[in-house]
Amino acid sequence: MLMVDRRLVSGVLNAKAGEDLHEFVQAALELEHSVIPPYLTAYYTLRPGRNDEIAAAVHNIAVEEMLHMTIAGNLLLALGGKPRLTDPDFVPSYPSLLPMNIGDLTVGLAPYSRDLLHDVFMRIEEPEHPIEFPARASAAAGTVAFATIGEFYEALINKLVALGDSAFIGDRAAQVVDPNWFPPDQLFRIVDVATAKAALTLVVEEGEGTKQSPLDREGELAHYYRFTELWHGRRLVPDPTAANGYSYTGTPIDFDPGGVWAMPANPRLAQYPPESRSRLIAGQFSRTYNQLLHALHDMFNGAPESLDAAVGIMFELGLQAQDVLATPDPDGRPTGLCFEYAFADG
């Protein structure tokens, strides 16, 4: 499971006012964003028309992480803060620990594989006490020096309950709400304790499920269990003969390793010659990613209507990704997807 510095939880619990929570909600925003490039890289490297069922699952999880990032931004606005998405350290320099994380999980950018699912993605989304279903190994115990992401969000909810509705002093109109992209029961304005609790609970349940069920409030599998069924290669389905009511015995989810673009792990623009086509298209991809970050920053800082523009840039990023992955570098090796904040000319 993804462990964080327990001092973050203590900091939340010691807050005296809503403004004291700004740095912690910004950290949550950064964490929710930080898993998007690894998930998108895995998704983009699944060749179109191959492994479509897996691609759809990974894409849907990435989109829900975008929802979680937006919820964190709205909460920061609700508390009178200003989300920052254009700071130089907003984007991790992959491979790296994720924001808030002091554990041993290093996250990088790599093509889709079953090992990536098991060793990275499942650990990112793993709840403190995953529900055990047939074919699932038991989880390792945590240590006192760490806290879980779920525990962090629980502390944040408890503190907001303690502070009460008076903590929500931000401009409601500045928050991002658009039913064209996210339904109103998932993305809504955070205006008081009740709406904040509902929004943060959604974030936790979509990632981890509940303590009693692998399903979130929409009746869909939480991220952890979706990744796990991809790893097992079978759907997690209700099973009255299993101890916890489910088992990985549903329809097969076939994985064709030949349907994955080859890509070097954790590519950097600097590794490609300045005048090469690989440098040109990898640089275009990185610039588009930066444009996306700036559009999202503007969206949270006075232009909530720019969500449409951000989604348009996201589509462009996907098209560019296929061009990058189909282009060899000067040595004939695959060109990689560079999610870099600061990029060289090229």
PDB file of all heavy atoms in Angstrom, residues 273-291:
ATOM      1  N   PRO A 273      19.011  13.405 -29.492  1.00  0.00           N
ATOM      2  CA  PRO A 273      19.776  14.479 -30.142  1.00  0.00           C
ATOM      3  C   PRO A 273      18.879  15.671 -30.485  1.00  0.00           C
ATOM      4  O   PRO A 273      17.736  15.489 -30.922  1.00  0.00           O
ATOM      5  CB  PRO A 273      20.321  13.810 -31.405  1.00  0.00           C
ATOM      6  CG  PRO A 273      20.353  12.343 -31.073  1.00  0.00           C
ATOM      7  CD  PRO A 273      19.168  12.110 -30.176  1.00  0.00           C
ATOM      8  N   PRO A 274      19.372  16.891 -30.301  1.00  0.00           N
ATOM      9  CA  PRO A 274      18.538  18.094 -30.466  1.00  0.00           C
ATOM     10  C   PRO A 274      17.838  18.211 -31.816  1.00  0.00           C
ATOM     11  O   PRO A 274      16.722  18.713 -31.887  1.00  0.00           O
ATOM     12  CB  PRO A 274      19.537  19.236 -30.259  1.00  0.00           C
ATOM     13  CG  PRO A 274      20.594  18.646 -29.395  1.00  0.00           C
ATOM     14  CD  PRO A 274      20.718  17.209 -29.816  1.00  0.00           C
ATOM     15  N   GLU A 275      18.441  17.754 -32.884  1.00  0.00           N
ATOM     16  CA  GLU A 275      17.847  17.941 -34.214  1.00  0.00           C
ATOM     17  C   GLU A 275      17.100  16.708 -34.709  1.00  0.00           C
ATOM     18  O   GLU A 275      16.634  16.679 -35.849  1.00  0.00           O
ATOM     19  CB  GLU A 275      18.946  18.307 -35.226  1.00  0.00           C
ATOM     20  CG  GLU A 275      19.734  19.551 -34.859  1.00  0.00           C
ATOM     21  CD  GLU A 275      18.841  20.780 -34.700  1.00  0.00           C
ATOM     22  OE1 GLU A 275      17.873  20.927 -35.476  1.00  0.00           O
ATOM     23  OE2 GLU A 275      19.122  21.598 -33.799  1.00  0.00           O
ATOM     24  N   SER A 276      16.977  15.708 -33.882  1.00  0.00           N
ATOM     25  CA  SER A 276      16.344  14.470 -34.328  1.00  0.00           C
ATOM     26  C   SER A 276      14.822  14.577 -34.305  1.00  0.00           C
ATOM     27  O   SER A 276      14.247  15.392 -33.581  1.00  0.00           O
ATOM     28  CB  SER A 276      16.782  13.306 -33.439  1.00  0.00           C
ATOM     29  OG  SER A 276      16.308  13.490 -32.113  1.00  0.00           O
ATOM     30  N   ARG A 277      14.165  13.736 -35.111  1.00  0.00           N
ATOM     31  CA  ARG A 277      12.699  13.729 -35.095  1.00  0.00           C
ATOM     32  C   ARG A 277      12.181  13.235 -33.748  1.00  0.00           C
ATOM     33  O   ARG A 277      11.152  13.723 -33.259  1.00  0.00           O
ATOM     34  CB  ARG A 277      12.157  12.846 -36.221  1.00  0.00           C
ATOM     35  CG  ARG A 277      10.638  12.663 -36.139  1.00  0.00           C
ATOM     36  CD  ARG A 277       9.994  12.191 -37.402  1.00  0.00           C
ATOM     37  NE  ARG A 277       8.588  11.872 -37.193  1.00  0.00           N
ATOM     38  CZ  ARG A 277       7.614  12.764 -37.048  1.00  0.00           C
ATOM     39  NH1 ARG A 277       7.905  14.060 -37.084  1.00  0.00           N
ATOM     40  NH2 ARG A 277       6.377  12.379 -36.868  1.00  0.00           N
ATOM     41  N   SER A 278      12.884  12.292 -33.140  1.00  0.00           N
ATOM     42  CA  SER A 278      12.442  11.798 -31.834  1.00  0.00           C
ATOM     43  C   SER A 278      12.435  12.931 -30.811  1.00  0.00           C
ATOM     44  O   SER A 278      11.511  13.031 -29.999  1.00  0.00           O
ATOM     45  CB  SER A 278      13.327  10.640 -31.369  1.00  0.00           C
ATOM     46  OG  SER A 278      14.687  11.000 -31.371  1.00  0.00           O
ATOM     47  N   ARG A 279      13.451  13.802 -30.857  1.00  0.00           N
ATOM     48  CA  ARG A 279      13.492  14.941 -29.936  1.00  0.00           C
ATOM     49  C   ARG A 279      12.349  15.909 -30.248  1.00  0.00           C
ATOM     50  O   ARG A 279      11.716  16.453 -29.335  1.00  0.00           O
ATOM     51  CB  ARG A 279      14.843  15.650 -30.051  1.00  0.00           C
ATOM     52  CG  ARG A 279      14.990  16.930 -29.234  1.00  0.00           C
ATOM     53  CD  ARG A 279      14.988  16.664 -27.725  1.00  0.00           C
ATOM     54  NE  ARG A 279      15.480  17.817 -27.012  1.00  0.00           N
ATOM     55  CZ  ARG A 279      16.737  17.988 -26.640  1.00  0.00           C
ATOM     56  NH1 ARG A 279      17.650  17.048 -26.920  1.00  0.00           N
ATOM     57  NH2 ARG A 279      17.111  19.064 -25.999  1.00  0.00           N
ATOM     58  N   LEU A 280      12.065  16.112 -31.531  1.00  0.00           N
ATOM     59  CA  LEU A 280      11.010  17.040 -31.937  1.00  0.00           C
ATOM     60  C   LEU A 280       9.653  16.584 -31.432  1.00  0.00           C
ATOM     61  O   LEU A 280       8.929  17.355 -30.787  1.00  0.00           O
ATOM     62  CB  LEU A 280      10.980  17.148 -33.465  1.00  0.00           C
ATOM     63  CG  LEU A 280       9.805  17.946 -34.056  1.00  0.00           C
ATOM     64  CD1 LEU A 280       9.895  19.407 -33.641  1.00  0.00           C
ATOM     65  CD2 LEU A 280       9.776  17.818 -35.580  1.00  0.00           C
ATOM     66  N   ILE A 281       9.296  15.319 -31.690  1.00  0.00           N
ATOM     67  CA  ILE A 281       7.948  14.890 -31.322  1.00  0.00           C
ATOM     68  C   ILE A 281       7.832  14.639 -29.823  1.00  0.00           C
ATOM     69  O   ILE A 281       6.776  14.874 -29.230  1.00  0.00           O
ATOM     70  CB  ILE A 281       7.514  13.649 -32.133  1.00  0.00           C
ATOM     71  CG1 ILE A 281       8.433  12.459 -31.864  1.00  0.00           C
ATOM     72  CG2 ILE A 281       7.447  13.965 -33.620  1.00  0.00           C
ATOM     73  CD1 ILE A 281       7.943  11.174 -32.507  1.00  0.00           C
ATOM     74  N   ALA A 282       8.913  14.179 -29.181  1.00  0.00           N
ATOM     75  CA  ALA A 282       8.872  14.020 -27.730  1.00  0.00           C
ATOM     76  C   ALA A 282       8.754  15.390 -27.063  1.00  0.00           C
ATOM     77  O   ALA A 282       8.071  15.533 -26.043  1.00  0.00           O
ATOM     78  CB  ALA A 282      10.119  13.293 -27.237  1.00  0.00           C
ATOM     79  N   GLY A 283       9.416  16.396 -27.646  1.00  0.00           N
ATOM     80  CA  GLY A 283       9.297  17.752 -27.121  1.00  0.00           C
ATOM     81  C   GLY A 283       7.898  18.315 -27.304  1.00  0.00           C
ATOM     82  O   GLY A 283       7.375  19.010 -26.421  1.00  0.00           O
ATOM     83  N   GLN A 284       7.263  18.011 -28.444  1.00  0.00           N
ATOM     84  CA  GLN A 284       5.890  18.455 -28.657  1.00  0.00           C
ATOM     85  C   GLN A 284       4.963  17.840 -27.623  1.00  0.00           C
ATOM     86  O   GLN A 284       4.074  18.513 -27.079  1.00  0.00           O
ATOM     87  CB  GLN A 284       5.438  18.081 -30.068  1.00  0.00           C
ATOM     88  CG  GLN A 284       6.100  18.893 -31.166  1.00  0.00           C
ATOM     89  CD  GLN A 284       5.729  18.398 -32.562  1.00  0.00           C
ATOM     90  OE1 GLN A 284       5.335  17.247 -32.750  1.00  0.00           O
ATOM     91  NE2 GLN A 284       5.869  19.270 -33.549  1.00  0.00           N
ATOM     92  N   PHE A 285       5.164  16.557 -27.359  1.00  0.00           N
ATOM     93  CA  PHE A 285       4.352  15.883 -26.350  1.00  0.00           C
ATOM     94  C   PHE A 285       4.530  16.543 -24.986  1.00  0.00           C
ATOM     95  O   PHE A 285       3.554  16.821 -24.275  1.00  0.00           O
ATOM     96  CB  PHE A 285       4.741  14.400 -26.283  1.00  0.00           C
ATOM     97  CG  PHE A 285       3.976  13.614 -25.250  1.00  0.00           C
ATOM     98  CD1 PHE A 285       2.748  13.047 -25.554  1.00  0.00           C
ATOM     99  CD2 PHE A 285       4.490  13.437 -23.964  1.00  0.00           C
ATOM    100  CE1 PHE A 285       2.035  12.329 -24.607  1.00  0.00           C
ATOM    101  CE2 PHE A 285       3.785  12.723 -23.009  1.00  0.00           C
ATOM    102  CZ  PHE A 285       2.560  12.164 -23.328  1.00  0.00           C
ATOM    103  N   SER A 286       5.765  16.821 -24.609  1.00  0.00           N
ATOM    104  CA  SER A 286       6.030  17.444 -23.315  1.00  0.00           C
ATOM    105  C   SER A 286       5.438  18.849 -23.239  1.00  0.00           C
ATOM    106  O   SER A 286       4.886  19.238 -22.208  1.00  0.00           O
ATOM    107  CB  SER A 286       7.539  17.491 -23.060  1.00  0.00           C
ATOM    108  OG  SER A 286       7.820  17.911 -21.748  1.00  0.00           O
ATOM    109  N   ARG A 287       5.537  19.592 -24.338  1.00  0.00           N
ATOM    110  CA  ARG A 287       4.948  20.941 -24.344  1.00  0.00           C
ATOM    111  C   ARG A 287       3.433  20.881 -24.190  1.00  0.00           C
ATOM    112  O   ARG A 287       2.834  21.696 -23.488  1.00  0.00           O
ATOM    113  CB  ARG A 287       5.347  21.676 -25.623  1.00  0.00           C
ATOM    114  CG  ARG A 287       6.745  22.270 -25.585  1.00  0.00           C
ATOM    115  CD  ARG A 287       6.984  23.194 -26.769  1.00  0.00           C
ATOM    116  NE  ARG A 287       7.107  22.431 -28.008  1.00  0.00           N
ATOM    117  CZ  ARG A 287       8.238  21.908 -28.453  1.00  0.00           C
ATOM    118  NH1 ARG A 287       9.351  22.042 -27.735  1.00  0.00           N
ATOM    119  NH2 ARG A 287       8.288  21.257 -29.591  1.00  0.00           N
ATOM    120  N   THR A 288       2.813  19.920 -24.870  1.00  0.00           N
ATOM    121  CA  THR A 288       1.360  19.778 -24.752  1.00  0.00           C
ATOM    122  C   THR A 288       0.971  19.428 -23.325  1.00  0.00           C
ATOM    123  O   THR A 288      -0.024  19.942 -22.794  1.00  0.00           O
ATOM    124  CB  THR A 288       0.850  18.707 -25.728  1.00  0.00           C
ATOM    125  OG1 THR A 288       1.189  19.083 -27.065  1.00  0.00           O
ATOM    126  CG2 THR A 288      -0.661  18.549 -25.633  1.00  0.00           C
ATOM    127  N   TYR A 289       1.747  18.575 -22.696  1.00  0.00           N
ATOM    128  CA  TYR A 289       1.501  18.250 -21.292  1.00  0.00           C
ATOM    129  C   TYR A 289       1.610  19.501 -20.426  1.00  0.00           C
ATOM    130  O   TYR A 289       0.779  19.726 -19.529  1.00  0.00           O
ATOM    131  CB  TYR A 289       2.504  17.192 -20.852  1.00  0.00           C
ATOM    132  CG  TYR A 289       2.513  16.907 -19.367  1.00  0.00           C
ATOM    133  CD1 TYR A 289       1.361  16.483 -18.707  1.00  0.00           C
ATOM    134  CD2 TYR A 289       3.677  17.048 -18.632  1.00  0.00           C
ATOM    135  CE1 TYR A 289       1.371  16.220 -17.350  1.00  0.00           C
ATOM    136  CE2 TYR A 289       3.702  16.776 -17.270  1.00  0.00           C
ATOM    137  CZ  TYR A 289       2.548  16.368 -16.636  1.00  0.00           C
ATOM    138  OH  TYR A 289       2.569  16.108 -15.294  1.00  0.00           O
ATOM    139  N   ASN A 290       2.608  20.338 -20.693  1.00  0.00           N
ATOM    140  CA  ASN A 290       2.735  21.586 -19.943  1.00  0.00           C
ATOM    141  C   ASN A 290       1.567  22.528 -20.200  1.00  0.00           C
ATOM    142  O   ASN A 290       1.084  23.201 -19.289  1.00  0.00           O
ATOM    143  CB  ASN A 290       4.058  22.266 -20.293  1.00  0.00           C
ATOM    144  CG  ASN A 290       5.234  21.686 -19.538  1.00  0.00           C
ATOM    145  OD1 ASN A 290       5.738  22.283 -18.604  1.00  0.00           O
ATOM    146  ND2 ASN A 290       5.679  20.501 -19.928  1.00  0.00           N
ATOM    147  N   GLN A 291       1.094  22.568 -21.450  1.00  0.00           N
ATOM    148  CA  GLN A 291      -0.084  23.370 -21.768  1.00  0.00           C
ATOM    149  C   GLN A 291      -1.287  22.888 -20.979  1.00  0.00           C
ATOM    150  O   GLN A 291      -2.108  23.690 -20.510  1.00  0.00           O
ATOM    151  CB  GLN A 291      -0.367  23.310 -23.267  1.00  0.00           C
ATOM    152  CG  GLN A 291       0.665  24.025 -24.124  1.00  0.00           C
ATOM    153  CD  GLN A 291       0.490  23.732 -25.606  1.00  0.00           C
ATOM    154  OE1 GLN A 291      -0.433  23.001 -26.001  1.00  0.00           O
ATOM    155  NE2 GLN A 291       1.373  24.255 -26.433  1.00  0.00           N
TER     156      GLN A 291
END
